[in-house]
């Protein structure tokens, strides 16, 4: 990997575009070295793995803490909502006070809140600790992409973003496998608590490495606080995500419907406040001029089918493997390992695919992913249900992994290429916020569709319908790829 790195400040030709290092804090900025990148990626993996690892531990938590189903939903939702709502603010704070500082605070906070989760004496304590853990994740995660964006360029940036995308995808699979292993091992009688306690030494290692290897960067002119914009954005995202994460399990009560109705109104209010602040020369949390850029809008549009489909896919696959095919949690997680390996390998090819095909690399990824979904559907519909073996599912999973492995880094590559260095934190927070929001939307829409179809069509039929819906989204992604530029900046 070190052969791909070259000294900062040099001009480098990538495809048909010449990129030049630009200053973010001083005329000579520090370069991100391999150890620093590894540390940032380790920080990336922590919140992403934790987002999924807890799902495997929920039955054990329910038994040990005598938690109700509503409380278990809150354990998941508290983390997800705090995480998504505070991502843009976390990016903004990094722009103003230093991304390295916010990364260190986030890693330390994540380690401490993980310890609090692992030692939770009751369900209420666990809910509060998980919400705080989501807030810590929101502080550290935007600094990763922002630091990469501000301290690399050209081929180094492309490779770093590809690694970031691969870590995001592989962390989902690793979270489910690790959760199954830790709960089953019950080391020293820790049971479900091990899925949180294992984060503590990893956070300590990441903190120590970050002190030595992660360069600092920040916006040239620190922005003033935007209290109104922050409050309205948080309210809009909460109004969207709380019903999506809690409403289905609660039977869609009135409060969830009212909040969903209020979400677009709050979003419009946030937009109006931010536009007024920008026109007055203020410092909006999410500058409307950033969203006014056509390239940024196209980049965000890429993420909608990618993350919505990915979340729905992971949900229905987990249910199908464990309830439809009778796999245990560990066996289900191990079944997805080939997909994770293929995803990681494909992500390493993303920079090469962009150099060769430009925006059409997105279309190529969509075609491969579509082939994977078609293979999965054919295997499920024609195979010996419910006696399908993990080996029979492997070809479809591998193709899906290759498609996802290309799509995730391409999303971040094309979106961040359109974001100026001075808004790197806001752009990173925006990219991650869309990702988290789409994850919730994907589970709520595709997951609900799947569960509603199971009683009438059976699990095989319901899975086939959901795969068809996801395929339609990927077809749109492929068409969008044809409109992307040859090579992103």
């Amino acid at each position: 990997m070190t052969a791909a790195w070259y000294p900062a400040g040099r001009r480098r030709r990538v495809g048909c575009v010449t990129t030049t290092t630009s200053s973010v804090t001083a005329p000579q900025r520090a370069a991100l070295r391999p150890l620093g990148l590894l540390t940032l990626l380790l920080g990336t993996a922590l919140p992403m793995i934790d987002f999924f690892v807890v799902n495997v531990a929920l039955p054990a938590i329910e038994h040990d803490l005598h938690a109700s189903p509503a409380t278990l939903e809150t354990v998941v939702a508290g983390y997800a909502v705090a995480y998504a709502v505070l991502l843009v603010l976390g990016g903004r704070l990094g722009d103003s006070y230093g991304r390295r500082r916010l990364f260190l605070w986030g890693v330390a906070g994540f380690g401490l809140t993980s310890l609090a989760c692992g030692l939770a004496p009751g369900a209420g304590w666990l809910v509060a600790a998980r919400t705080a853990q989501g807030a810590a994740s929101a502080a550290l995660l935007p600094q990763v992409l922002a630091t990469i964006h501000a301290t690399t360029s050209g081929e180094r940036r492309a490779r770093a973003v590809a690694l970031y995308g691969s870590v995001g995808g592989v962390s989902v699979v690793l979270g489910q496998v690790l959760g199954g292993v830790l709960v089953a091992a019950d080391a020293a009688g820790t049971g479900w608590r091990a899925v949180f306690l294992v984060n503590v030494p990893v956070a300590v290692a990441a903190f120590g490495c970050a002190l030595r290897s992660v360069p600092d960067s920040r916006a040239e002119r620190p922005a003033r606080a935007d209290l109104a914009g922050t409050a309205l954005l948080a309210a809009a995202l909460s109004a969207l995500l709380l019903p999506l994460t809690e409403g289905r399990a609660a039977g869609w009560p009135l409060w969830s419907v009212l909040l969903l109705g209020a979400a677009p109104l709050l979003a419009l209010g946030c937009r109006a406040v931010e536009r007024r602040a920008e026109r007055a020369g203020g410092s909006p949390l999410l500058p409307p001029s950033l969203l006014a850029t056509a390239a940024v809008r196209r980049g965000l549009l890429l993420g909608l089918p990618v993350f919505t489909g990915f979340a729905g896919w992971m949900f229905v696959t987990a249910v199908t493997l464990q309830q439809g095919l009778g796999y245990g949690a560990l066996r289900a997680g191990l079944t997805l390992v080939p997909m994770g390996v293929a995803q990681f390998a494909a992500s390493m090819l993303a920079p090469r695919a962009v150099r060769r095909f430009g925006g059409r690399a997105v279309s190529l990824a969509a075609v491969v992913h579509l082939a994977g979904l078609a293979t999965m559907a054919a295997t499920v519909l024609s195979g010996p249900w419910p006696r399908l073996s993990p080996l029979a599912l492997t070809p479809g999973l591998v193709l899906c992994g290759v498609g996802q492995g290309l799509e995730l880094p391409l999303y971040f590559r094309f979106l961040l290429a359109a974001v100026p260095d001075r808004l790197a934190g806001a752009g990173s927070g925006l990219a991650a916020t869309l990702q988290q929001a789409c994850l919730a939307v994907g589970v709520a829409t595709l997951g609900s569709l799947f569960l509603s179809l199971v009683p009438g069509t059976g699990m095989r039929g319901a899975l086939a319908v959901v795969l068809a819906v996801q395929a339609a989204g990927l077809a749109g992604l492929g068409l969008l790829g044809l409109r992307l530029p040859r090579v992103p900046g």
Side-chain angles (χ1 to χ4, degrees), residues 18 66 79 83 145 193 201 253 264 269 275 293 346 352 439 443 445 457:
T18 301
H66 308 290
Y79 179 90
Y83 188 12
L145 274 175
R193 299 178 186 274
R275 178 177 292 178
T293 306
R352 187 179 302 176
L439 289 176
V443 173
T445 54
T457 64

Side-chain angles (χ1 to χ4, degrees), residues 357-387:
F357 302 108
R360 285 172 171 77
V362 174
S363 301
L364 173 64
V367 169
V368 175
H369 200 164
L370 280 167
L373 295 181
T375 303
M376 284 291 295
T379 302
V380 169
L381 292 175
S382 63
W385 185 273
R387 296 184 303 278

Side-chain angles (χ1 to χ4, degrees), residues 40 90 93-109 136 139-141 143-144 147 207 210-211 214-218 222:
L40 291 174
L93 291 174
D95 285 347
S96 299
Y97 298 105
R99 293 157 189 146
R100 177 174 176 270
R101 176 182 296 179
L102 263 291
F103 181 82
L104 289 170
W105 277 105
V107 169
L140 77 88
L141 190 67
Q143 317 316 324
V144 177
T147 300
F207 188 91
L211 283 173
V214 174
D216 195 17
S217 65
R218 66 186 70 197

Side-chain angles (χ1 to χ4, degrees), residues 185-415:
D186 193 22
T190 53
W192 61 268
R193 299 178 186 274
V195 304
F196 299 113
L197 296 176
V198 73
N199 294 330
V200 178
V202 179
V204 171
F207 188 91
C209 289
L211 283 173
R212 299 181 54 190
S213 62
V214 174
D216 195 17
S217 65
R218 66 186 70 197
E220 292 179 356
R221 299 180 184 86
R224 297 189 300 272
D226 178 18
L227 298 180
T230 300
L232 282 170
L233 180 62
L237 287 171
S238 298
L240 173 67
L241 296 179
L242 274 174
L244 291 179
T245 53
E246 294 275 4
R248 179 173 55 85
W252 298 109
L254 179 61
W255 66 263
S256 64
V257 177
L258 293 176
L259 279 180
L260 283 174
L265 299 178
L266 290 167
L268 289 174
C270 179
R271 181 187 178 193
V273 168
E274 298 296 83
R275 178 177 292 178
R276 189 180 304 115
E278 191 170 42
R279 286 176 177 173
S283 304
L285 177 71
L286 197 59
S289 59
L290 179 63
L291 297 175
T293 306
V296 171
R297 292 199 302 270
R298 280 197 301 265
L300 292 172
L301 205 57
L302 289 177
L304 294 179
V306 171
F307 296 114
T308 303
F310 182 71
W313 158 262
M314 291 303 300
F315 177 82
V316 301
T317 301
V319 174
T320 300
L321 292 178
Q322 296 188 55
Q323 296 184 14
L325 299 178
Y327 293 3
L330 180 57
R331 190 185 185 196
L334 293 175
T335 300
L336 297 176
V337 167
M339 184 181 76
V341 173
Q343 191 163 323
F344 181 81
S347 70
M348 295 296 95
L349 299 176
R352 187 179 302 176
V354 171
R355 288 196 300 271
R356 183 167 181 178
F357 302 108
R360 285 172 171 77
V362 174
S363 301
L364 173 64
V367 169
V368 175
H369 200 164
L370 280 167
L373 295 181
T375 303
M376 284 291 295
T379 302
V380 169
L381 292 175
S382 63
W385 185 273
R387 296 184 303 278
L388 284 173
S389 68
L391 184 61
L393 298 171
T394 297
L397 289 171
V398 168
L399 286 172
C400 288
V402 172
Q404 290 165 175
L406 291 172
E407 289 161 2
L408 295 176
L410 289 176
Y411 161 72
F412 292 109
R413 172 84 181 266
F414 279 92
L415 176 56

Side-chain angles (χ1 to χ4, degrees), residues 5-6 19-22 29 148-163 351 413 416-417 419 421 489:
W5 294 75
Y6 52 89
T19 59
T20 306
T21 302
S22 62
R29 71 180 179 188
I148 289 173
H149 189 66
T151 61
T152 64
S153 60
E155 186 63 25
R156 288 189 304 159
R157 181 183 292 177
R159 183 175 293 273
V161 171
L163 282 167
R413 172 84 181 266
L416 292 183
V419 176
D421 281 355

